[in-house]
Amino acid sequence: MIHVTNLTKRYAGRTAVDEISFDVGRGEIVGFLGPNGAGKSTTLRMLTCYLSATEGRASVAGFDIFKDSIKVRKRVGYMPENVPLYLDMRVKEYLQFRARLKGMGYRESRAATDEAMDTCGLTDVQRKMINTLSKGYRQRVGLADALVNKPDLLVLDEPTNGLDPNQIRQVRDLIRQLGERHTILISTHILHEVEMTCGRVIILDKGQIKASDTPQNLVRRLRALGTVSVQVKGSPEAAMKEIEAMTGVRSVKHTITRQDWARIEIETEANTEICEEIFQIAVAKKWKLRELVQKTASLEDAFVNLTINKKEKKSDD
Amino acid sequence: MRAFTIIFWKELRSFFLSPLAYVVMALFTMLSGFLFVNMVKAMTANVNPQSLVFNLFSSGWFWMGFFILFPLITMRLFAEERKMGTLEGLFTAPVRTSEVVLAKFASTVVAYLVLILPMFLFFPIFKSLTGETAAFNDGALWGSFLGLLLVGILNIAIGVFASSLTQNQLIAAMLTFVGVMLHYMFGYLHHMSALPQSEFTAGLTYFSTVEHMQTLSDGLIDTRPMIYYLSFSAMLLALTHHVLEYRKWQA
Ligand SMILES: Nc1ncnc2c1ncn2[C@@H]1O[C@H](COP(=O)(O)OP(=O)(O)O)[C@@H](O)[C@H]1O
Ligand SMILES: [Mg+2]
């Protein structure tokens, strides 16, 4: 559906997107994840033909974004960041205008507008002026706008930005629902979002792709360190010694003691399972054990690892 | 063509749903009504060889109204869309930049004609009320209508261009004001006695809006100024197209 090779965008000397290449297959929901300023919006704007690439090429639904821009735009439903809308129009009127602008006939556009309003839960507010709507509803109008002409691909730039938790959940559910029928490319700086909605994540930082995989694989593959937490009764020193001697353990430290219970945090190498071993030793040595938890790294850890650490490392050397 | 029609109606609709349209219409009608009355009074008091139409459209006061009218009706066209970000939705829809420019331009020309319509009605109303036939003839009226259409087209093209340059409506309005005024002033250059009479000064009459209006409001139709207004406007619209396309490359 999307095929990108060495796409680059430079703004007045600074490179916002730096030779990125990726593909998105039909039916996929792909999340574009990165901190602010990573170049997510710039990439999406190039794919939707709002900006021209400085270098590289890309095609959407088989059409070159530069040479066949009109054909690409016919097949893409785009919701820009911050959802700009004509505030002086009514919801239904706006959607119908957009449907017609995207090439639908009058009758067709009416039916499509009703369907889009139904999908996005806008039927009740169809006669309201857009400037009287809450942010959550405007977001839905933006979504309805993107999908009104039944495009092959939906491109959504930070669709839950600025919403309250309830609205976020609603929009997310809506996106997941849309994923059953559309290919979706969604950008966000919120990790939860991709974990919950996307089949694949592309992590972007400083205009470069740092990783591209399923959220689960990414966590597994990128989990630099696993953490195990143990609570033992009494003095932790003996237990710490035993644990330090195990294979795959990188560091052991005693964090707090509360009412005789000492908590020990253990860092292990990637993909190392030591809980069973600790349990067996505990049984053998008759430690009193209250907690034994393997903490799995979240996508958040992977993300922080990929973006923040790299930055620090770079500035170090 | 499809997108042109859709944007044309959308623009026209949003213009006439805004209070600005009626404020501008009221102001302009008041100004020209005031002038009309004064002109009639003056012509009653003194013998005047020119027609009422000719006198009205030769008045500097009348043209002053234009310096305000055009910035007001063109400033939002592109500047507002840029500011609000709706330009992004517009240009990621399958529409050609040229269609957008032409649709916004054409809808503003139509809006302009509606705005000046009340002023034009003064003439037939005056005629039917007073039964006066000598004040002006129909040729003069139609001629001056054509003149105002041409001048309007050019000034709106100036405004469209100015609005594409910035996201600030106030700046767009000021640029248009200056543009419209400069063009008007330029038309007086050949009157300046300091300039030696030459082919050059004769050439300057090409820019003289007032002179064109005077010819037209005598009922004489000269195609040379028509070509001048239309080609100058086309050039400004082409520049607007260029500005909007260039945006893609730098942003
Ligand atoms: N119109 C622009 N002109 C100049 N620089 C820009 C422009 N838009 C974005 N940038 C810069 O490009 C980089 C990427 O921006 P953007 O794509 O908006 O990031 P994101 O959407 O990931 O937050 C940022 O450093 C930003 O400052
Ligand atoms: Mg962004």
Side-chain angles (χ1 to χ4, degrees):
Chain A
M1 180 61 60
I2 306 178
H3 183 69
V4 176
T5 13
N6 298 330
L7 202 63
T8 301
K9 178 73 184 180
R10 278 190 280 275
Y11 292 117
R14 74 169 298 167
T15 308
V17 175
D18 193 3
E19 295 200 2
I20 63 169
S21 302
F22 64 92
D23 287 279
V24 174
R26 185 171 288 272
E28 271 194 288
I29 305 186
V30 174
F32 235 48
L33 182 64
N36 285 325
K40 304 180 297 289
S41 299
T42 305
T43 308
L44 300 188
R45 284 173 168 168
M46 286 190 284
L47 291 177
T48 53
C49 309
Y50 184 66
L51 293 178
S52 299
T54 316
E55 272 164 44
R57 34 198 319 117
S59 68
V60 173
F63 296 102
D64 188 278
I65 55 165
F66 189 70
K67 280 186 251 153
D68 275 323
S69 145
I70 296 272
K71 282 182 184 152
V72 169
R73 286 185 265 166
K74 259 200 178 120
R75 286 162 180 82
V76 176
Y78 174 45
M79 178 166 116
E81 199 168 7
N82 303 322
V83 204
L85 302 167
Y86 294 116
L87 301 180
D88 62 345
M89 291 178 101
R90 291 173 200 279
V91 173
K92 184 174 179 174
E93 176 189 28
Y94 173 77
L95 292 174
Q96 210 166 325
F97 163 70
R98 294 290 299 172
R100 299 215 56 205
L101 202 60
K102 293 174 185 188
M104 291 185 134
Y106 183 71
R107 273 159 184 269
E108 199 188 358
S109 76
R110 289 181 66 131
T113 301
D114 286 339
E115 202 180 321
M117 287 193 302
D118 190 44
T119 310
C120 300
L122 288 166
T123 314
D124 292 341
V125 297
Q126 56 177 299
R127 302 206 149 272
K128 281 202 174 175
M129 293 284 256
I130 292 177
N131 64 4
T132 65
L133 295 182
S134 70
K135 183 103 174 76
Y137 269 103
R138 288 187 194 187
Q139 217 89 359
R140 293 191 203 185
V141 176
L143 272 176
D145 175 354
L147 59 88
V148 71
N149 64 329
K150 307 187 175 71
D152 296 335
L153 171 71
L154 285 180
V155 176
L156 313 174
D157 197 352
E158 311 234 357
T160 59
N161 207 5
L163 299 183
D164 71 35
N166 268 332
Q167 296 170 326
I168 288 181
R169 187 174 318 151
Q170 288 167 359
V171 170
R172 239 179 236 159
D173 288 343
L174 194 54
I175 291 170
R176 219 177 293 141
Q177 195 186 321
L178 292 173
E180 290 164 13
R181 273 177 294 156
H182 296 89
T183 308
I184 304 182
L185 181 61
I186 173 177
S187 102
T188 179
H189 63 269
I190 303 161
L191 301 143
H192 255 36
E193 198 140 295
V194 285
E195 256 181 317
M196 293 170 76
T197 48
C198 301
R200 189 152 63 90
V201 187
I202 296 174
I203 294 185
L204 198 66
D205 185 38
K206 293 181 176 171
Q208 293 176 332
I209 291 182
K210 299 288 171 177
S212 164
D213 213 330
T214 64
Q216 297 79 15
N217 276 347
L218 211 54
V219 169
R220 202 174 309 142
R221 190 157 64 85
L222 297 169
R223 186 172 62 199
L225 307 167
T227 321
V228 176
S229 168
V230 184
Q231 281 193 47
V232 292
K233 196 161 194 177
S235 159
E237 273 79 32
M240 284 172 73
K241 243 197 201 124
E242 292 282 347
I243 295 168
E244 258 169 5
M246 289 178 193
T247 51
V249 173
R250 284 169 66 136
S251 74
V252 179
K253 64 176 188 277
H254 168 217
T255 52
I256 44 167
T257 303
R258 202 179 284 139
Q259 299 160 342
D260 291 348
W261 291 96
R263 169 176 278 160
I264 303 169
E265 300 267 353
I266 306 146
E267 274 188 358
T268 66
E269 299 294 348
N271 308 317
T272 312
E273 181 58 66
I274 60 162
C275 285
E276 205 178 327
E277 210 175 333
I278 292 175
F279 175 73
Q280 275 159 7
I281 293 176
V283 172
K285 304 267 171 178
K286 297 205 166 69
W287 296 343
K288 291 203 174 79
L289 212 58
R290 176 163 93 166
E291 179 188 272
L292 179 56
V293 208
Q294 169 87 54
K295 288 186 182 159
T296 44
S298 64
L299 187 58
E300 186 148 0
D301 298 326
F303 178 68
V304 167
N305 219 305
L306 278 166
T307 57
I308 315 285
N309 282 357
K310 289 266 162 64
K311 267 180 211 161
E312 283 166 3
K313 271 182 209 153
K314 257 180 207 156
S315 57
D316 283 351
D317 54 39
Chain B
M1 193 57 207
R2 176 190 50 84
F4 172 89
T5 319
I6 297 162
I7 298 170
F8 174 85
W9 286 111
K10 185 237 155 213
E11 287 291 323
L12 207 56
R13 183 199 144 281
S14 74
F15 182 75
F16 282 106
L17 282 184
S18 77
L20 180 75
Y22 303 95
V23 172
V24 172
M25 179 144 50
L27 280 177
F28 192 72
T29 310
M30 251 158 60
L31 174 72
S32 45
F34 179 71
L35 278 173
F36 190 92
V37 170
N38 272 3
M39 228 34 103
V40 171
K41 274 190 191 149
M43 285 172 77
T44 324
N46 299 304
V47 179
N48 192 312
Q50 304 295 355
S51 76
L52 180 60
V53 176
F54 182 98
N55 282 329
L56 181 64
F57 295 131
S58 305
S59 150
W61 285 101
F62 174 78
W63 294 98
M64 294 279 265
F66 269 20
F67 300 160
I68 302 160
L69 176 85
F70 290 107
L72 287 179
I73 64 175
T74 58
M75 62 183 185
R76 34 169 280 292
L77 289 175
F78 285 105
E80 189 182 34
E81 297 232 26
R82 245 185 218 220
K83 178 106 186 175
M84 300 296 293
T86 46
L87 204 64
E88 198 166 346
L90 189 57
F91 285 131
T92 50
V95 298
R96 279 168 221 291
T97 308
S98 53
E99 285 180 293
V100 176
V101 174
L102 288 176
K104 288 197 175 237
F105 166 74
S107 74
T108 313
V109 171
V110 171
Y112 159 74
L113 292 179
V114 175
L115 292 187
I116 64 169
L117 189 67
M119 178 195 72
F120 259 93
L121 293 178
F122 291 164
F123 295 101
I125 291 171
F126 173 77
K127 221 171 204 175
S128 68
L129 283 183
T130 60
E132 180 68 68
T133 49
F136 60 91
N137 60 40
D138 286 349
L141 198 56
W142 285 113
S144 56
F145 177 76
L146 182 62
L148 287 186
L149 176 64
L150 289 169
V151 174
I153 282 176
L154 175 62
N155 287 344
I156 289 167
I158 293 175
V160 168
F161 177 58
S163 185
S164 74
L165 292 174
T166 169
Q167 58 166 306
N168 186 325
Q169 290 191 49
L170 200 63
I171 292 176
M174 281 181 336
L175 285 174
T176 310
F177 177 81
V178 171
V180 171
M181 198 165 69
L182 276 182
H183 182 264
Y184 178 78
M185 304 285 212
F186 217 63
Y188 276 107
L189 267 187
H190 71 286
H191 281 310
M192 286 168 63
S193 48
L195 288 174
Q197 290 300 311
S198 67
E199 279 176 9
F200 175 70
T201 50
L204 283 176
T205 58
Y206 264 103
F207 306 109
S208 177
T209 300
V210 175
E211 207 130 301
H212 300 152
M213 272 309 286
Q214 288 178 346
T215 323
L216 283 163
S217 52
D218 270 342
L220 299 172
I221 292 174
D222 183 355
T223 48
R224 280 170 306 171
M226 284 171 76
I227 290 166
Y228 161 70
Y229 282 107
L230 294 178
S231 54
F232 194 6
S233 308
M235 191 195 79
L236 284 165
L237 293 181
L239 278 176
T240 309
H241 180 269
H242 202 73
V243 166
L244 293 169
E245 284 287 301
Y246 181 65
R247 165 204 59 82
K248 279 192 189 171
W249 294 99
Q250 47 94 212

